[in-house]
Amino acid sequence: MQKVEDNVLLTNQMDDMPDAWYGGSNTTGRGSNSTETFFLKNETTMDLAKAFFQARLFRIGYGYVLFTICFAGVCGNLLVFCVLTRKALRTSTTAVYLQVLALTDTLVLLTSIFRYKSYKVLLTEKDNTEAVFHLDAYIEVYVEPFFWIFLGVSSFVTLLLSTERYLAVKYPLTVKRTCTVHLVSVCIVAVVLIVTVITIPIFFSYEIRHILFHEIQTTIAYPTDFGIHQHYVCTYTHYVLPLVWYMFPWLLLAIVNTLLALHVRRSSRIRVGVPNVLNPNRNLSLLIILVVVVYMICNFPRCIISIMKLVDTNNSNCLKDTRTSNPSYSKTYLVSVVVANILNVLNSCVNIFVYCVVGTKFRKELRKLILCQPCHKHTTVLINNTIHVTLTRDTADSQPHSSSLPG
């Protein structure tokens, strides 16, 4: 058993926020299991007023607000997945993208509940104390890396979805021949593998250690030698994570979505010489444009904070001893980080509203699912005194293949 001195505080290297978690009278951060009393004893870490402000801020933001968002988002995404797997909507490549997006968003929300300690709003003060000293470290070491995987997959699947729609609008005949469900599945698997490979260093940055803290046996997430190596801290956490997970997808989606919007505007009429015939797939393109716009709005604050951290060399973890440093943050910065993280998670919840507003077929199938109506209806016909029961497809199935989507 290892005993840790009271003045050792390990900082979180994988996020741009200080991790003094709320919950009763106890708070804990990645790499440290400590009580609020421990923070208050160490006046060099943060002053008394800021400690209480941070605890209240995290409890309200990451507790009540984020837990409500995650719970509602999980229910909404599961409902979206059930609707998109109905026979009237599941036959296209876009539907495959949206199904995967709904699943990954659900996993982002579930891991967010643990990563941001939102589940602690359901615990009593005694249970929270037990979680601080025995559970949080395992969540931070083994669950948090999967949060980054699911978040990355969600972002890049959104990028694939927007890119495919742009190509379908610009090169409709070519995409119709070459873009198959099998090809889409291969692209999604490739994204999952690439994101997982990029995330591998996170799995080896911290380890579980059992220590004595104020004569209490506790478990902490302790940085490994790899986790405190200068190349990992300065290169991976300082540049790779913010660039690959936030700024790179945001910029690419901004470019592709702008091109898609311009081509949709140009191709709003599908028949040359028949100007009054509207494009039947325009709603689908509009739906995807709105999904990307929501993504960009929700992730914009997170991108700004990442840029600020990149250019702020004074608070760079690269210049400090990661075992003992704990940079001081202003209240404004703390509030902005909490809001940015909540918006980042909120992005995984709101697609169902976009589908309902724009997708007429989605609304129709959602209503049938809620009312427990089948995808087909039976028609009884009397021919020559013999009753024949025929299976009739819904009108959505009689539409063109590309339009049997939420749009």
Side-chain angles (χ1 to χ4, degrees):
M1 187 71 63
Q2 181 180 358
K3 189 165 184 175
V4 175
E5 297 294 333
D6 289 353
N7 62 350
V8 176
L9 180 64
L10 305 175
T11 59
N12 182 1
Q13 301 171 15
M14 294 199 301
D15 193 19
D16 299 331
M17 55 176 292
D19 290 330
W21 298 114
Y22 60 87
S25 61
N26 298 278
T27 57
T28 183
R30 181 170 178 82
S32 65
N33 271 320
S34 54
T35 62
E36 185 175 294
T37 305
F38 169 64
F39 280 106
L40 302 183
K41 278 177 159 184
N42 293 267
E43 296 181 1
T44 57
T45 301
M46 60 178 67
D47 58 39
L48 183 63
K50 188 177 292 185
F52 280 116
F53 172 80
Q54 185 169 329
R56 289 194 301 269
L57 175 65
F58 287 179
R59 182 170 184 82
I60 294 172
Y62 294 143
Y64 301 115
V65 176
L66 195 64
F67 183 83
T68 303
I69 290 174
C70 291
F71 179 78
V74 168
C75 297
N77 285 326
L78 292 178
L79 193 61
V80 167
F81 182 80
C82 292
V83 172
L84 292 175
T85 53
R86 290 173 68 87
K87 196 166 186 179
L89 298 177
R90 68 188 181 197
T91 56
S92 70
T93 57
T94 303
V96 175
Y97 281 122
L98 296 180
Q99 292 166 16
V100 174
L101 187 60
L103 288 179
T104 54
D105 283 344
T106 300
L107 295 173
V108 168
L109 296 171
L110 291 176
T111 52
S112 295
I113 291 176
F114 294 98
R115 180 180 189 266
Y116 295 107
K117 309 297 187 294
S118 301
Y119 67 93
K120 290 189 175 183
V121 297
L122 304 176
L123 302 181
T124 63
E125 185 171 344
K126 180 180 178 180
D127 292 335
N128 175 70
T129 303
E130 291 296 318
V132 166
F133 287 105
H134 302 291
L135 176 63
D136 286 353
Y138 290 98
I139 292 175
E140 292 156 4
V141 172
Y142 299 117
V143 176
E144 184 164 328
F146 288 99
F147 166 82
W148 291 101
I149 291 177
F150 301 141
L151 185 66
V153 171
S154 177
S155 297
F156 285 102
V157 167
T158 305
L159 178 59
L160 286 178
L161 173 65
S162 181
T163 303
E164 190 233 25
R165 192 61 208 160
Y166 164 68
L167 294 176
V169 172
K170 188 173 183 179
Y171 310 105
L173 298 180
T174 302
V175 171
K176 187 175 182 180
R177 291 195 308 266
T178 59
C179 190
T180 62
V181 173
H182 176 73
L183 179 60
V184 169
S185 301
V186 171
C187 292
I188 293 174
V189 171
V191 165
V192 173
L193 292 177
I194 293 172
V195 171
T196 302
V197 170
I198 298 175
T199 313
I200 285 178
I202 300 178
F203 286 92
F204 298 98
S205 59
Y206 282 83
E207 63 184 3
I208 295 294
R209 286 195 183 183
H210 302 282
I211 65 166
L212 285 176
F213 177 76
H214 289 296
E215 306 303 326
I216 300 176
Q217 181 178 348
T218 183
T219 305
I220 67 169
Y222 198 83
T224 62
D225 292 337
F226 173 77
I228 62 174
H229 195 279
Q230 184 178 8
H231 292 307
Y232 174 80
V233 176
C234 297
T235 303
Y236 188 81
T237 66
H238 198 63
Y239 292 103
V240 175
L241 282 181
L243 287 174
V244 175
W245 261 254
Y246 297 117
M247 287 178 276
F248 182 66
W250 196 94
L251 289 174
L252 287 181
L253 279 169
I255 295 172
V256 175
N257 205 47
T258 301
L259 294 175
L260 174 60
L262 292 176
H263 278 277
V264 168
R265 184 176 180 180
R266 294 172 188 170
S267 60
S268 58
R269 314 293 180 179
I270 61 171
R271 294 186 182 180
V272 177
V274 189
N276 292 324
V277 179
L278 296 177
N279 189 335
N281 293 321
R282 191 178 184 185
N283 267 14
L284 175 59
S285 299
L286 179 60
L287 183 146
I288 295 174
I289 291 173
L290 290 179
V291 167
V292 175
V293 169
V294 170
Y295 173 93
M296 294 175 63
I297 293 174
C298 291
N299 284 275
F300 182 73
R302 184 73 257 184
C303 291
I304 295 300
I305 291 177
S306 297
I307 293 174
M308 291 173 57
K309 294 294 291 185
L310 287 177
V311 300
D312 184 10
T313 56
N314 292 329
N315 282 329
S316 173
N317 284 334
C318 297
L319 306 177
K320 299 178 182 178
D321 182 357
T322 58
R323 289 183 180 273
T324 58
S325 64
N326 188 40
S328 177
Y329 297 93
S330 66
K331 291 183 179 181
T332 303
Y333 178 80
L334 290 175
V335 172
S336 64
V337 169
V338 171
V339 172
N341 287 333
I342 290 175
L343 288 176
N344 182 241
V345 176
L346 180 65
N347 175 67
S348 299
C349 308
V350 295
N351 284 346
I352 184 173
F353 299 105
V354 177
Y355 300 158
C356 290
V357 170
V358 182
T360 54
K361 293 185 181 66
F362 182 88
R363 291 197 301 270
K364 180 179 180 181
E365 293 301 320
L366 178 61
R367 184 179 66 252
K368 289 183 179 180
L369 179 66
I370 295 175
L371 298 178
C372 300
Q373 296 179 359
C375 296
H376 300 80
K377 57 184 179 180
H378 294 278
T379 303
T380 304
V381 183
L382 183 63
I383 302 177
N384 297 330
N385 296 326
T386 303
I387 295 178
H388 296 270
V389 179
T390 60
L391 192 63
T392 305
R393 289 181 179 270
D394 284 335
T395 56
D397 287 334
S398 63
Q399 299 295 328
H401 173 74
S402 59
S403 62
S404 58
L405 297 165

